């Protein structure tokens, strides 16, 4: 689920994705590479990264930039990632059936990703 918000400040656009099914550490590995970079450079980096976490982050950055250009009237060439963070979400717990009527737990971690775009 992706929530798009225009924050209180008139100079930034915020995008929040909640309950993304991946580990916090795997998402942070990608987020640390794009923090503080320009929008066009971020797109180039995310398209070439071999990690699974790069695709939802690419969708979020693209969505935030299109919101900024449509709602605020900003040029996409002037945008940069001012803030990007990943927080832990709820852990989805399931049971896997095993032999002799037993079961083993499966824990699927989720994360919440927040990206803020700003104008140079």
């Amino acid at each position: 689920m992706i929530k798009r918000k225009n924050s209180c400040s008139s100079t930034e656009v915020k995008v929040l994705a909640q309950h993304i099914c991946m580990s916090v550490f795997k998402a942070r590995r990608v987020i640390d590479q794009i923090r503080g970079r320009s929008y066009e450079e971020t797109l180039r980096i995310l398209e070439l990264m071999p990690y699974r976490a790069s695709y939802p982050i690419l969708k979020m950055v693209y969505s935030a930039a299109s919101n900024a250009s449509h709602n605020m009237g900003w040029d996409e060439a002037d945008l940069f990632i001012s803030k990007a963070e990943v927080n832990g979400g709820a852990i989805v717990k399931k049971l896997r059936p095993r032999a002799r009527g037993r079961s083993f737990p499966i824990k699927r971690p989720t994360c919440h990703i927040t990206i803020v775009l700003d104008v140079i």
Side-chain angles (χ1 to χ4, degrees), residues 18-110:
Q18 294 182 323
H19 307 293
I20 304 296
C21 290
M22 73 180 63
S23 171
V24 175
F25 305 106
K26 293 177 183 178
R28 277 190 191 138
R29 177 172 55 184
V30 176
I31 285 288
D32 290 339
Q33 298 295 319
I34 66 168
R35 189 178 293 120
R37 297 189 188 258
S38 69
Y39 169 69
E40 290 149 351
E41 188 178 2
T42 300
L43 291 183
R44 274 187 257 125
I45 289 171
L46 289 175
E47 287 174 355
L48 297 175
M49 273 191 162
Y51 303 124
R52 190 188 77 151
S54 62
Y55 182 67
I57 294 171
L58 177 70
K59 284 174 52 175
M60 289 177 60
V61 171
Y62 185 73
S63 173
S66 64
N67 282 340
S69 65
H70 183 267
N71 297 339
M72 305 281 199
W74 295 340
D75 188 21
E76 291 180 350
D78 297 336
L79 297 175
F80 75 101
I81 311 288
S82 64
K83 183 179 174 186
E85 64 181 21
V86 180
N87 297 320
I91 295 177
V92 178
K93 297 177 183 175
K94 301 179 185 178
L95 293 177
R96 179 164 178 86
R98 302 300 287 186
R100 301 173 69 178
R102 296 187 178 130
S103 63
F104 285 168
I106 296 175
K107 295 180 181 178
R108 298 284 310 267
T110 62

Side-chain angles (χ1 to χ4, degrees), residues 107-120:
K107 295 180 181 178
R108 298 284 310 267
T110 62
C111 64
H112 306 317
I113 303 172
T114 306
I115 295 177
V116 178
L117 289 180
D118 207 349
V119 177
I120 295 175

